[in-house]
């Protein structure tokens, strides 16, 4: 029997009901700030909102699909693989609707208990090919919320595999999207190869190997968990194609591409065996560009709002923290007092407690605060952070 096709839950009559469910993620205040040239003037403080921030179209669509599935299949067991997106507020609300979770490891016993009566939502990052096959074999009703930008990357790496080109994936090996992309880089016959590099340091190791500085054992030890089965650097770094997780840091990806291209030229005398296709999505790029523009202003501090496990938000925090004091917060609850802001430190990869800069206490001049939010952060959370900050700083209540 052919596998059941994913059902389209975005039907007009369902979407109309869902629009009420998801209206809670909107914010009148944020719309007002946007209409006011992305600025909010408060007594003693001016907030500057980035030109592009918050929910992207892919995330909006995934959330709509999750709510529509709950409406359309009310009474059935509805499962979500991992998280629909990386935002704690959105995920907690969906949990409250009764969504159950399937872990990312398909060896988990929960998969064995699935039947044709179950409904399973695939998240915005997509799922690996073997996991989708297993779900199809189980005959579950699939609902697909994979973002179109992620599917474009899959197409790219599948083309590499078909041409005998190894995919070098710039991404986080543990991130759902990178794992799904890696599975697609195996190609139709499951024989394609991939190697994942996380940062410039790892890309340098690959470049060194290509250009002749080789220590095969050390190389394989380092990349053991980040490459395809049977990966052999002698064979599989001959022809390479770059792809990246859609939410990586644009400037880093550009440097990695250039590093690997130079290594191929050094080895071959030409870049004929080097292929590249920039797969950072428009939403990620727009938010990074808007942040660079915002950072040109004389800001006293920057607030970056979003889930700590959100890749695109982490990169925003990383960019801002190189220039000014940056507070990467997941919600207004992180703002305890002027002395105690719970925020995520992107270098140490843990939550820390930081005071606001001295200027917030002295209040001798107008304080300038920048605000941005990752692609998975709803506007209502941005509003809550803005209101809490205004309250902490003794500005008029919003
Ligand atoms: S960040 Fe990009 S790839 Fe991810 S859901 Fe949004 S549009 Fe799609």
């Amino acid at each position: 029997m052919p596998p059941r096709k994913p059902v389209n839950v975005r039907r007009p009559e369902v979407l109309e009901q869902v629009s009420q469910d998801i209206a809670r993620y909107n914010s009148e205040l944020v719309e007002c700030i946007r209409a006011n040239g992305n600025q909010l003037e408060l007594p003693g403080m001016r907030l500057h909102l980035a030109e592009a921030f918050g929910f992207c179209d892919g995330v909006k669509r995934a959330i709509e699909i999750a709510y529509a599935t709950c409406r359309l299949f009310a009474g059935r067991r509805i499962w979500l693989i991992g998280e629909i997106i990386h935002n704690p507020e959105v995920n907690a609300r969906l949990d409250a609707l009764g969504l159950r979770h399937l872990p990312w490891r398909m060896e988990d016993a929960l998969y064995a208990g699935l039947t044709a009566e179950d409904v399973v939502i695939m998240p915005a990052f997509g799922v690996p090919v073997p996991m989708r096959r297993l779900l199809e074999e189980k005959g579950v009703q699939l609902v697909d919320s994979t973002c179109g930008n992620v599917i474009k990357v899959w197409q790219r790496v599948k083309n590499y595999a078909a041409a005998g080109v190894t995919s070098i994936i710039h991404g986080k090996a543990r991130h759902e999207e990178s794992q799904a992309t890696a599975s697609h880089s195996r190609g139709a016959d499951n024989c394609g190869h991939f190697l994942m590099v996380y940062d410039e340091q790892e890309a340098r190791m690959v470049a060194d190997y290509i250009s002749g500085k080789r220590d095969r054992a050390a190389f394989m030890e380092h990349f053991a968990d980040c490459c395809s089965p049977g990966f052999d650097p002698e064979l599989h770094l001959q022809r390479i194609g770059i792809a990246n997780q859609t939410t990586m840091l644009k400037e880093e990806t550009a440097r990695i591409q250039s590093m690997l291209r130079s290594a191929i030229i050094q080895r071959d005398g030409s870049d004929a065996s080097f292929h590249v296709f920039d797969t950072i999505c428009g939403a990620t790029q727009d938010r990074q560009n808007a942040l660079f523009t915002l950072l040109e202003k004389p800001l006293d501090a920057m607030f970056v709002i979003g889930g700590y496990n959100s890749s695109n938000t982490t990169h925003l925090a990383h960019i801002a923290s190189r220039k000014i004091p940056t507070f990467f917060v997941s919600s207004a609850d992180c703002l305890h007092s002027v002395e105690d802001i719970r925020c995520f430190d992107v270098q140490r990869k843990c939550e820390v407690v930081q005071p606001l800069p001295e200027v917030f206490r002295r209040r001798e001049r107008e304080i300038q605060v920048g605000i941005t939010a990752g692609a998975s952060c709803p506007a209502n959370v941005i509003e809550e952070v803005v209101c809490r900050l205004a309250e902490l700083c003794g500005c008029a209540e919003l």
Side-chain angles (χ1 to χ4, degrees):
M1 212 171 53
R4 281 164 90 180
K5 285 213 165 86
V7 65
N8 176 21
V9 296
R10 297 177 79 234
R11 302 173 192 173
E13 68 282 8
V14 184
L15 289 186
E16 203 182 314
Q17 297 167 353
V18 165
S19 64
Q20 295 153 22
D21 298 330
I22 56 181
R24 63 163 50 92
Y25 299 121
N26 300 336
S27 157
E28 270 183 35
L29 176 66
V30 169
E31 287 316 309
C32 283
I33 301 176
R34 215 197 281 264
N36 190 41
N38 284 36
Q39 292 201 12
L40 177 66
E41 216 176 319
L42 296 165
M45 182 157 67
R46 187 181 291 265
L47 299 179
H48 305 262
L49 196 53
E51 280 289 330
F53 61 90
F55 271 1
C56 62
D57 289 344
V59 162
K60 275 190 216 156
R61 179 175 166 276
I63 293 172
E64 211 171 63
I65 286 174
Y67 276 94
T69 306
C70 292
R71 291 236 174 217
L72 207 58
F73 294 102
R76 301 260 296 267
R77 287 203 304 185
I78 305 174
W79 301 86
L80 180 60
I81 301 169
E83 297 182 327
I84 190 86
I85 57 165
H86 287 150
N87 185 274
E89 147 108 10
V90 173
N91 295 332
R93 286 195 186 278
L94 285 171
D95 287 353
L97 293 180
L99 271 189
R100 298 156 191 253
H101 289 272
L102 284 168
W104 196 246
R105 289 181 318 103
M106 61 185 198
E107 298 75 27
D108 192 278
L110 282 173
Y111 283 87
L114 294 174
T115 73
E117 280 306 298
D118 287 296
V119 180
V120 179
I121 306 172
M122 296 184 277
F125 335 98
V127 296
V129 176
M131 184 181 281
R132 175 152 182 162
R133 285 211 189 104
L134 175 74
L135 294 166
E136 286 174 350
E137 279 163 23
K138 290 272 168 197
V140 302
Q141 178 58 70
L142 282 175
V143 179
D144 192 357
S145 81
T146 311
C147 176
N149 286 315
V150 174
I151 294 171
K152 275 191 209 156
V153 188
W154 294 353
Q155 198 48 56
R156 172 57 44 176
V157 295
K158 279 195 258 190
N159 291 347
Y160 286 155
V165 171
T166 297
S167 294
I168 306 290
I169 302 169
H170 175 214
K172 298 177 180 167
R174 286 177 184 275
H175 194 283
E176 298 93 325
E177 183 193 315
S178 290
Q179 290 181 9
T181 297
S183 73
H184 282 278
S185 72
R186 305 282 285 145
D189 56 4
N190 209 27
C191 293
H193 285 281
F194 70 85
L195 180 70
M196 270 195 231
V197 296
Y198 172 57
D199 56 15
E200 287 177 69
Q201 205 183 336
E202 288 196 344
R204 171 51 52 208
M205 293 171 73
V206 179
D208 282 350
Y209 201 97
I210 290 171
S211 55
K213 294 177 208 142
R214 295 177 188 163
D215 179 343
R216 193 176 187 286
F219 186 91
M220 287 311 294
E221 189 184 351
H222 184 87
F223 288 105
D225 298 329
C226 308
C227 61
S228 45
F231 180 87
D232 180 344
E234 294 297 329
L235 299 174
H236 301 126
L237 291 177
Q238 288 302 317
R239 298 176 68 210
I240 61 169
I242 315 289
N244 38 265
Q245 194 180 312
T246 54
T247 49
M248 297 308 275
L249 193 56
K250 170 88 178 158
E251 54 185 29
E252 186 179 54
T253 287
R255 284 195 295 268
I256 286 174
Q257 288 169 4
S258 150
M259 202 187 286
L260 294 175
R261 183 195 294 269
S262 301
I264 293 278
I265 293 173
Q266 193 179 335
R267 184 191 67 192
D268 299 347
S270 88
D271 67 359
S273 294
F274 176 82
H275 304 266
V276 68
F277 185 79
D278 191 347
T279 54
I280 288 186
C281 80
T284 298
Q285 226 160 88
D286 290 348
R287 280 150 190 71
Q288 289 177 11
N289 291 344
L291 177 58
F292 282 119
T293 305
L294 187 57
L295 289 170
E296 286 168 12
K297 293 182 191 288
L299 302 174
D300 293 302
M302 184 78 211
F303 276 79
V304 177
I305 312 167
Y308 295 161
N309 58 348
S310 158
S311 170
N312 78 90
T313 319
T314 306
H315 290 309
L316 294 177
H318 181 79
I319 292 170
S321 63
R322 290 186 311 209
K323 190 152 184 220
I324 52 169
T326 296
F327 300 86
F328 176 6
V329 297
S330 57
S331 74
D333 293 343
C334 296
L335 284 74
H336 289 213
S337 70
V338 177
E339 300 293 338
D340 178 353
I341 308 289
R342 309 282 155 109
C343 53
F344 194 73
D345 184 321
V346 287
Q347 300 296 343
R348 289 155 64 192
K349 297 186 174 44
C350 62
E351 196 177 52
V352 295
V353 177
Q354 298 271 29
L356 287 172
E358 188 59 30
V359 65
F360 282 76
R361 282 178 291 272
R362 288 205 308 268
R363 310 285 308 273
E364 290 163 350
R365 58 166 171 82
E366 187 182 58
I367 304 164
Q368 309 291 324
V369 181
I371 303 223
T372 190
S376 49
C377 180
N380 67 306
V381 174
I382 301 172
E383 172 174 334
E384 286 159 19
V385 170
V386 167
C387 291
R388 179 69 183 136
L389 182 63
E391 188 188 350
L392 280 189
C393 296
C395 303
E397 259 186 40
L398 291 169

